[in-house]
Amino acid sequence: MAQKPAQKALGPIRRSFAPWLDPSAVPLIRFEKVVKKFGDFTAVDDVSLDIHQREFFSLLGPSGCGKTTLMRMLAGFEQPTSGRILLAGQDLAGTPPYRRPVNMMFQSYALFPHMTVEQNVGFGLKQDGLPKPEIADRVKEMLKLVKLEPFATRKPHQLSGGQRQRVALARSLAKRPKVLLLDEPLGALDKKLREETQFELMDLQMELGLTFLIVTHDQEEAMTVSDRIGVMNHGKLVQVATPGDIYEQPNCRYVADFIGNINLFEGTVAGSGGGEVRISGEDPAGDFVAASDAGLEAGAKVTLAVRPEKMRISIEAPPADARNVLKGEVWDIAYMGDWTVVLVKIDGSEKVVRVSRANMTRTEAQPIAWDDRVHVWFAPDAGVVLTS
Amino acid sequence: MTDAALPARDGASVWRRRALIAVPYLWLLVLFLAPFFIVLKISLSDTVIAQPPYEPVLDLANGWQGVKDWWAGLDLENYGLLFEDEIYWRSYLSSLKIAAISTFLALLIAYPMAYGMARAPKSLRPTLLMAVILPFWTSLLIRVYAWIGILNPEGLLNQLLLGVGLISEPLYIMNTETAVYIGIVYSYLPFMVLPLYSSLEKLDDTLLEAAADLGSPPWKSFWQITFPLSLPGVIAGCFLVFIPAVGEFVIPDLLGGSETLMIGKTLYNEFFLNRDWPVSSALAVLLLLVLVVPIALYNNIQARELEAAK
């Protein structure tokens, strides 16, 4: 599952900010072949990664994939077994956590229970030996930023979960760190508050011009906030790309399956040419055509991955030039409000294909019902051919 | 609360609850309050050479007149004596001083112990805890006697130090105030270690990581985070050592010399050697009054702790 070298930004969202595409750009953080072992267990396995100034970078993966360990090594709480971590060109090895110019917002918030909100936020500044009036000013500024001014003299246990999260954020921002590390920062908040806070985090990052590194297992959160996402699995960095590319150009089955919903068709390469590859599918049996210029050899095992929203569905026969047509029966329908998801059981197969339709109008009758015979098809460029 | 819990408000179960609460109160009444009032009454009586060695004795055979005579015979004379004779108030002061210094020494020794225990691997902690509690399996008296064997001029400590060549003459620790400090600190150490351990064990490691992350080196984190958060344990431990140490009798009697004044010893002397029950009762009541302040403080703090934990 090697990373593709210098991937082109093919994603649907155009970004003016993309220092990772500039070969002359000097990264702010550089992980060089970092390995971390706990006894026999390899938590982080040969990770190399560059993160640039002002980037909002997410480490995404299931629990136990090594993302938190990678972050804790940057904060200085764990030492790499081998490899180097550089911050602004300086090797961090041997620098204790309290001398590193990075600050972390902990998953549990780790607020000091015996201190007031003010004292919590000012803690880092006090350690730097700043004069008291300056600390007071900075604390005030931070509390204004997170809208907690009226709560300055409260203790953490007198605050709600959302307010505590803001205190933790203010505390980690107070020292204006070069890098802010966020460990599952929004995990404890309910959905609505979480979404609100995600946008606030993005605004804050832009306003302050800081570099954010966030660890999360929530793919929606990663997609929402990040400039780039690094997907991790079993200690390895599987793919690093923009949210758009992660979604549209996954480089392996794992990433395709982990992010969003996707239909996977197993098969072997039957032939290729003209920017297209012909795949003979296993289940359902049949031929697929997919756009690919990867130069795949005939007989190679591949997976064709197609997102549900890139599939078309109708009861009538598809247009004559439609390709990759499958027939089947409606198995299940889920009305989600913005989308309707239809599960179709493909004829002569165990495969259930997921198709989603945007509900464009309010009054449209749902044209497809349970047990309807339907056609499902997708364009050659709708699917991604995965070799691993 | 679910609906199922609501019927608890009906009459029968209210009475059941009252009956349940009545048991410990009855216990306190019979085993604490009643003896206390007996001691209080004796402290207001006069010494006589008789059986019992005080008067008046309530004589109900004389009816109402007997009660009146009894009441008329009570006075505060003994308390006056406690303030006149300097041996009594010097005993109190000396007891408070010895208890305070012992408490402080116990804190100094117990804190690193409790800290080490709380930081030890989880699998090892029950063993360490057991080691702290183990001395309770032997009687206090025997353990204090053992210290005589250690601190004697011919005891283990002196033999060791002489043998090694650190000293050329035996140290006279036995029958001094130093021996009393050693005995009290040794005997009450578990009462200091256990509450400290329980508050240090609860300490969340990520708080220390957060402090380090914000620029606090480990030694500063200790004073800024660990120590303030262990204060409930420090306070509980100090009271648990200080309160019984003030009234300690066995240790000063066995290890201390004649110049070591402690109220427990004075009380014993008054009671058994002088057979002056009224004066020693007055001493005991006054001791209780002296200790009521720290005990009330302790209870108050504990109650607030419980409230905060909710």
Side-chain angles (χ1 to χ4, degrees):
Chain A
M1 294 204 262
Q3 225 178 294
K4 278 186 196 165
Q7 204 171 29
K8 277 184 289 172
L10 295 169
I13 300 165
R14 292 191 177 277
R15 283 165 191 278
S16 52
F17 176 78
W20 51 89
L21 296 175
D22 178 2
S24 67
V26 181
L28 178 63
I29 306 162
R30 165 163 266 176
F31 292 93
E32 269 181 19
K33 297 180 178 305
V34 172
V35 176
K36 176 66 186 179
K37 288 183 178 171
F38 294 106
D40 289 339
F41 177 70
T42 307
V44 172
D45 192 358
D46 195 21
V47 167
S48 294
L49 171 66
D50 287 350
I51 297 170
H52 294 263
Q53 183 118 37
R54 303 176 74 102
E55 210 184 330
F56 202 137
F57 193 97
S58 296
L59 285 170
L60 177 65
S63 58
C65 72
K67 56 191 193 299
T68 301
T69 308
L70 196 61
M71 177 184 267
R72 287 173 60 83
M73 282 193 280
L74 182 56
F77 301 134
E78 311 281 357
Q79 303 307 317
T81 310
S82 67
R84 294 203 304 167
I85 302 171
L86 301 144
L87 182 70
Q90 277 204 309
D91 192 343
L92 285 177
T95 309
Y98 54 91
R99 292 231 182 81
R100 296 190 181 198
V102 300
N103 282 144
M104 184 157 168
M105 188 185 145
F106 290 79
Q107 184 173 7
S108 60
Y109 307 149
L111 298 179
F112 306 128
H114 57 302
M115 296 185 195
T116 61
V117 167
E118 272 177 326
Q119 289 169 328
N120 264 287
V121 175
F123 186 87
L125 303 169
K126 193 177 144 201
Q127 307 312 309
D128 287 354
L130 258 64
K132 270 189 180 155
E134 206 176 322
I135 294 179
D137 286 350
R138 285 275 282 280
V139 167
K140 228 178 197 163
E141 189 189 327
M142 283 298 133
L143 291 180
K144 198 173 162 196
L145 192 71
V146 297
K147 302 179 192 95
L148 277 179
E149 291 149 301
F151 302 97
T153 53
R154 294 234 189 138
K155 293 266 182 83
H157 69 92
Q158 296 166 312
L159 301 176
S160 73
Q163 290 167 337
R164 274 182 226 173
Q165 187 262 350
R166 282 154 190 278
V167 177
L169 185 64
R171 188 177 71 176
S172 55
L173 281 171
K175 288 182 82 172
R176 292 279 158 79
K178 279 189 179 159
V179 183
L180 180 66
L181 310 176
L182 302 119
D183 185 6
E184 306 265 3
L186 313 176
L189 305 182
D190 61 67
K191 194 166 187 283
K192 199 108 192 189
L193 194 57
R194 196 162 61 219
E195 280 172 9
E196 251 175 61
T197 316
Q198 282 166 5
F199 286 105
E200 279 174 15
L201 271 184
M202 289 160 76
D203 293 347
L204 212 58
Q205 189 250 353
M206 292 234 258
E207 205 179 308
L208 302 173
L210 298 176
T211 308
F212 278 28
L213 174 60
I214 179 171
V215 155
T216 180
H217 66 271
D218 180 346
Q219 43 138 323
E220 251 177 74
E221 185 168 299
M223 303 280 280
T224 308
V225 298
S226 320
D227 290 311
R228 282 192 304 160
I229 297 173
V231 182
M232 290 190 72
N233 189 29
H234 294 312
K236 283 191 189 295
L237 201 53
V238 186
Q239 185 172 14
V240 179
T242 60
D245 282 357
I246 290 274
Y247 189 78
E248 304 292 2
Q249 308 278 331
N251 67 357
C252 64
R253 278 189 67 137
Y254 176 76
V255 174
D257 209 17
F258 187 71
I259 310 287
N261 290 304
I262 203 154
N263 297 300
L264 299 170
F265 301 102
E266 309 295 334
T268 46
V269 174
S272 60
E276 286 188 347
V277 58
R278 277 174 289 116
I279 299 163
S280 72
E282 281 167 17
D283 180 49
D287 287 345
F288 296 104
V289 182
S292 168
D293 48 12
L296 294 162
E297 285 191 27
K301 281 253 178 211
V302 290
T303 304
L304 180 58
V306 191
R307 297 279 178 199
E309 75 279 4
K310 294 185 175 58
M311 293 190 134
R312 311 285 302 273
I313 185 168
S314 73
I315 292 173
E316 305 86 49
D321 59 347
R323 302 170 84 177
N324 301 319
V325 181
L326 298 163
K327 280 186 206 170
E329 198 176 274
V330 174
W331 189 252
D332 241 332
I333 299 174
Y335 178 74
M336 323 277 280
D338 45 358
W339 295 88
T340 298
V341 174
V342 183
L343 299 183
V344 179
K345 193 171 180 299
I346 303 302
D347 292 346
S349 159
E350 287 300 304
K351 191 98 191 161
V352 174
V353 169
R354 188 184 176 103
V355 184
S356 57
R357 300 175 57 251
N359 294 322
M360 305 285 282
T361 63
R362 210 159 52 79
T363 49
E364 182 193 23
Q366 293 289 329
I368 292 162
W370 264 266
D371 300 334
D372 275 350
R373 301 277 313 155
V374 290
H375 299 269
V376 171
W377 74 98
F378 55 94
D381 64 354
V384 183
V385 182
L386 304 171
T387 53
S388 58
Chain B
M1 260 223 195
T2 59
D3 287 352
L6 285 178
R9 295 192 180 278
D10 69 31
S13 73
V14 165
W15 279 109
R16 212 159 44 222
R17 217 179 303 167
R18 280 181 193 170
L20 207 64
I21 296 169
V23 174
Y25 274 102
L26 206 68
W27 177 278
L28 276 178
L29 190 74
V30 171
L31 296 173
F32 173 76
L33 226 47
F36 173 74
F37 277 114
I38 293 170
V39 170
L40 185 65
K41 189 256 143 188
I42 296 175
S43 77
L44 300 172
S45 312
D46 295 319
T47 316
V48 288
I49 299 173
Q51 192 66 261
Y54 55 83
E55 65 171 25
V57 179
L58 184 59
D59 188 4
L60 287 175
N62 281 349
W64 183 236
Q65 187 58 40
V67 176
K68 269 205 215 160
D69 289 347
W70 175 77
W71 182 254
L74 298 177
D75 56 55
L76 286 166
E77 189 187 353
N78 295 315
Y79 290 92
L81 187 70
L82 295 188
F83 291 99
E84 278 161 29
D85 195 334
E86 66 171 339
I87 187 147
Y88 301 117
W89 60 261
R90 277 184 51 209
S91 300
Y92 279 120
L93 280 187
S94 165
S95 287
L96 291 174
K97 184 196 83 179
I98 289 174
I101 293 175
S102 308
T103 304
F104 182 68
L105 292 175
L107 179 64
L108 284 189
I109 297 168
Y111 205 100
M113 278 176 77
Y115 189 86
M117 283 166 66
R119 288 277 163 277
K122 253 204 165 92
S123 56
L124 204 63
R125 286 185 209 166
T127 317
L128 293 172
L129 210 55
M130 197 65 218
V132 171
I133 301 167
L134 206 63
F136 290 128
W137 289 12
T138 316
S139 141
L140 174 76
L141 205 60
I142 292 170
R143 283 183 283 134
V144 175
Y145 259 110
W147 275 103
I148 298 176
I150 296 171
L151 299 176
N152 250 338
E154 299 87 32
L156 287 172
L157 182 70
N158 276 317
Q159 281 181 12
L160 182 80
L161 293 178
L162 286 168
V164 173
L166 270 175
I167 50 170
S168 52
E169 275 187 34
L171 298 171
Y172 290 95
I173 300 171
M174 195 56 211
N175 300 328
T176 64
E177 223 161 88
T178 312
V180 177
Y181 285 126
I182 292 174
I184 292 180
V185 170
Y186 160 77
S187 303
Y188 290 103
L189 200 59
F191 295 108
M192 187 64 95
V193 171
L194 295 177
L196 281 176
Y197 169 75
S198 92
S199 67
L200 283 170
E201 200 211 9
K202 275 185 278 178
L203 189 76
D204 182 0
D205 280 343
T206 57
L207 293 181
L208 297 176
E209 283 187 349
D213 188 66
L214 292 165
S216 167
W219 61 91
K220 277 178 86 184
S221 295
F222 175 81
W223 288 111
Q224 297 188 99
I225 310 295
T226 311
F227 189 74
L229 286 176
S230 69
L231 267 182
V234 172
I235 291 167
C238 285
F239 280 126
L240 286 178
V241 173
F242 180 80
I243 293 167
V246 171
E248 183 54 56
F249 163 71
V250 172
I251 296 166
D253 191 52
L254 292 182
L255 301 179
S258 51
E259 89 279 16
T260 310
L261 270 181
M262 280 194 85
I263 197 66
K265 229 171 103 177
T266 308
L267 214 151
Y268 177 91
N269 288 343
E270 284 300 335
F271 198 86
F272 290 99
L273 301 184
N274 285 352
R275 265 183 80 79
D276 193 340
W277 287 25
V279 166
S280 62
S281 296
L283 268 175
V285 171
L286 206 60
L287 177 62
L288 191 80
L289 290 178
V290 168
L291 288 181
V292 150
V293 178
I295 289 171
L297 262 176
Y298 174 70
N299 279 339
N300 194 359
I301 290 166
Q302 289 284 306
R304 256 189 296 162
E305 278 291 304
L306 273 177
E307 203 59 39
K310 268 184 204 166

